[in-house]
């Protein structure tokens, strides 16, 4: 068991990203002997990762989260589509109420000097009446608040036994805010998660004490420096959103441009945040030479994750299972690289698990007890072998 300080940094990615991170965390706990993601020293969550980290610090394990999203766990209210996708009707109604006045203003402006004003330019003024977000994520805040205010959990950063930092962006100043730090630790955790996950265009900005906040991914992807600044020596990062390496000659999908504007925007967004993350990782290596960061993410050739709607809720079981399998395959492929890093921090890989031909997260309940017993024996066997060597 590691005695050095450990950190977990989870990035964003919408609903699909959160579910992917749950599956990846389950895989990491199975593949790394001694790792308990509920007992890290520092947690840094951005957007969907803020949701995951806030659950972990409240003693909700990745396995529990995987069951909660499937509505199979007693004691944790299941997340439903209504919680995540409430239409932003209140703001829409307010914008519609402003429409007559805006129409008069546009006509007056256009007719005041028709030689210099174009019709399309005048119509562009109507964009002010577009809603700031399609959905309202206030139900997510209420859901988390309800869960964190019972059964020994907490919705107060100051009451946590470990450090949690939730990253959001102040829309008007453009500055990064880390809820949980001094000056921001009185904000409820549920409210901080709501702000950090307010993806522009999808969710309306979240007002907190007179300031407007949006998704933290606008400025940061992993933000592992928060953990390194707390003398953390190993940060495990999970990033569910990567750009697609599309092979036109071998792919059955054709060019991405044929899939329309949403696909083009998705690929562009992924390239931007991924290149920024890679640049950040290089900076970490120079600034924190005695610390390590290990990132787990889908392969760039994974069409399943790319073409799945990042806002999808109906495919959550498939995504969680997919993430579990991909993460274990990634660990298996990188075992020579990962093993020395993990050993330096007091961990070892579960070689017996990694030698399996198939990785399944959701097994039949009839065999669960026996499988858990066999898994425990496998882990014990690996530990004993290690001690003998």
């Amino acid at each position: 068991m590691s005695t050095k300080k450990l950190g977990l940094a989870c990035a964003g990615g919408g609903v699909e990203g959160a579910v992917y991170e749950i599956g990846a965390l389950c895989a990491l706990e199975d593949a790394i002997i001694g790792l308990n993601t509920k007992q890290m020293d520092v947690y840094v969550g951005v957007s969907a990762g803020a949701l995951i980290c806030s659950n972990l610090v409240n003693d909700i394990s990745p396995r529990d989260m995987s069951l909660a999203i499937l509505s199979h766990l007693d004691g944790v209210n299941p997340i439903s589509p209504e919680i995540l996708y409430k239409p932003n009707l209140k703001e829409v109604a307010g914008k519609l109420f402003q429409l007559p006045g805006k129409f008069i203003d546009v006509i007056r402006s256009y007719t005041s000097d028709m030689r210099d004003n174009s019709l399309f330019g005048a119509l562009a003024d109507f964009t002010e009446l577009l809603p700031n977000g399609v959905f309202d994520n206030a139900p997510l805040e209420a859901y988390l608040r309800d869960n964190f205010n019972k059964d020994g959990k907490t919705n107060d950063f100051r009451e946590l036994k470990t450090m949690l930092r939730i990253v959001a962006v102040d829309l008007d100043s453009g500055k990064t805010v880390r809820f949980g730090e001094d000056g921001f630790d009185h904000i409820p955790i549920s409210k901080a998660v709501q702000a950090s996950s307010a993806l522009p265009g999808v969710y309306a900005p979240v007002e907190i004490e007179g300031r407007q906040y949006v998704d933290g991914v606008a400025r940061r992807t992993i933000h592992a420096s928060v953990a390194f600044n707390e003398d953390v020596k190993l940060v495990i990062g999970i990033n569910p959103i990567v750009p697609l390496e599309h092979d036109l000659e071998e792919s059955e999908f054709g060019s991405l441009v044929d899939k329309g504007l949403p696909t083009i925007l998705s690929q562009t967004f992924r390239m931007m945040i991924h290149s920024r993350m890679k640049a950040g990782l290089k900076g970490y290596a120079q600034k924190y030479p005695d610390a390590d960061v290990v990132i787990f993410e889908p392969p760039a050739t994974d069409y399943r994750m790319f073409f799945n709607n990042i806002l999808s809720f109906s495919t959550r079981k498939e995504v969680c299972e997919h993430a579990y399998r991909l993460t274990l395959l990634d660990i298996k492929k990188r075992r020579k690289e990962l093993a020395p890093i993990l050993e330096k921090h007091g961990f070892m890989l579960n070689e017996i698990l990694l030698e399996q031909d198939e990785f399944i997260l959701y097994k039949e309940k009839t065999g669960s007890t026996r499988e858990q017993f066999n898994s425990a024996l496998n882990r014990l066997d690996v530990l004993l072998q290690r001690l003998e060597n």
Side-chain angles (χ1 to χ4, degrees):
M1 188 65 161
S2 173
T3 58
K4 299 180 181 180
K5 295 185 72 173
L6 307 171
L8 177 68
C10 293
V15 177
E16 181 192 44
V19 176
Y20 186 94
E21 289 177 340
I22 292 171
L25 287 169
C26 290
L28 290 173
E29 289 196 338
D30 286 351
I32 302 176
I33 296 176
L35 179 66
N36 184 343
T37 57
K38 296 192 303 178
Q39 296 179 358
M40 312 294 274
D41 297 289
V42 178
Y43 294 83
V44 184
V46 183
S47 191
L51 171 65
I52 301 303
C53 289
S54 66
N55 278 301
L56 289 170
V57 297
N58 269 295
D59 203 36
I60 302 174
S61 71
R63 293 278 178 174
D64 287 345
M65 283 187 265
S66 74
L67 294 175
I69 63 174
L70 298 175
S71 305
H72 290 169
L73 180 66
D74 295 331
V76 176
N77 295 332
I79 295 181
S80 65
E82 292 77 18
I83 293 174
L84 300 167
Y85 302 129
K86 177 187 176 183
N88 191 17
L89 297 179
K90 183 177 180 180
E91 185 183 4
V92 171
K95 297 289 187 180
L96 289 175
F97 182 77
Q98 300 174 36
L99 183 59
K102 174 59 70 174
F103 180 78
I104 294 173
D105 291 342
V106 168
I107 294 299
R108 183 184 296 116
S109 175
Y110 175 64
T111 56
S112 65
D113 190 349
M114 298 180 64
R115 290 176 300 176
D116 290 337
N117 295 330
S118 69
L119 178 60
F120 287 110
L123 293 176
D125 290 339
F126 280 106
T127 57
E128 295 179 9
L129 296 183
L130 293 174
N132 292 321
V134 178
F135 303 107
D136 177 6
N137 65 352
L140 173 63
E141 190 278 330
Y143 166 83
L144 293 174
R145 178 171 14 102
D146 180 59
N147 274 330
F148 294 163
N149 284 326
K150 63 182 181 182
D151 302 329
K153 302 177 179 65
T154 182
N155 199 30
D156 192 328
F157 284 101
R158 297 164 296 187
E159 295 178 357
L160 293 173
K161 298 178 181 178
T162 188
M163 180 180 292
L164 171 64
R165 297 291 181 262
I166 293 178
V167 183
V169 173
D170 185 316
L171 181 62
D172 291 300
S173 70
K175 294 181 179 179
T176 299
V177 171
R178 293 177 288 273
F179 291 103
E181 288 186 345
D182 290 343
F184 294 94
D185 56 352
H186 65 288
I187 305 300
I189 295 173
S190 58
K191 198 69 177 179
V193 174
Q194 182 191 6
S196 181
S197 59
L199 183 64
V202 178
Y203 293 109
V206 176
E207 182 178 351
I208 300 177
E209 298 183 341
R211 307 294 298 185
Q212 300 289 337
Y213 295 94
V214 295
D215 196 321
V217 78
R219 288 294 302 271
R220 293 289 186 272
T221 305
I222 291 291
H223 212 52
S225 60
V226 174
F228 287 136
N229 289 337
E230 297 297 329
D231 199 32
V232 165
K233 297 305 180 184
L234 172 64
V235 172
I236 295 175
I238 304 179
N239 173 47
I241 302 300
V242 298
L244 179 68
E245 290 185 5
H246 186 53
D247 191 328
L248 283 173
E249 297 182 356
E250 297 185 5
S251 171
E252 60 185 64
F253 295 102
S255 173
L256 294 183
V257 75
D258 297 330
K259 297 298 180 180
L261 182 60
T263 299
I264 296 173
L265 292 176
S266 175
Q267 178 74 331
T268 303
F269 173 74
R270 289 163 182 262
M271 289 188 294
M272 290 172 57
I273 64 172
H274 201 257
S275 63
R276 186 174 60 196
M277 184 189 74
K278 291 189 350 186
L281 292 177
K282 291 181 180 178
Y284 295 150
Q286 297 175 356
K287 190 173 182 180
Y288 309 101
D290 61 336
D292 296 295
V293 58
V294 181
I295 305 296
F296 297 93
E297 57 187 12
T301 55
D302 182 30
Y303 288 86
R304 169 67 180 79
M305 286 297 295
F306 181 83
F307 283 107
N308 193 62
N309 181 359
I310 66 168
L311 302 176
S312 174
F313 190 83
S314 60
T315 59
R316 56 197 183 277
K317 178 179 179 180
E318 297 173 20
V319 171
C320 201
E321 185 76 72
H322 187 64
Y324 181 80
R325 181 171 58 254
L326 285 182
T327 303
L328 287 178
L329 288 173
D330 182 35
I331 295 172
K332 186 174 184 176
K333 180 180 179 180
R334 298 163 57 195
R335 67 209 306 181
K336 290 184 179 179
E337 165 203 342
L338 295 174
I341 297 175
L342 294 172
E343 287 179 9
K344 183 167 66 172
H345 299 279
F347 297 105
M348 65 185 73
L349 291 175
N350 186 345
E351 298 289 352
I352 294 177
L353 171 66
L354 296 177
E355 287 301 323
Q356 294 183 9
D357 296 326
E358 188 176 22
F359 304 118
I360 302 174
L361 174 59
Y362 297 110
K363 298 181 175 66
E364 295 295 330
K365 292 183 178 180
T366 54
S368 61
T369 301
R370 182 178 61 188
E371 289 160 357
Q372 291 174 8
F373 180 70
N374 288 336
S375 176
L377 288 179
N378 288 340
R379 287 171 176 260
L380 178 61
D381 185 47
V382 171
L383 284 170
L384 290 175
Q385 291 178 15
R386 193 74 183 180
L387 290 172
E388 290 176 358
N389 295 331

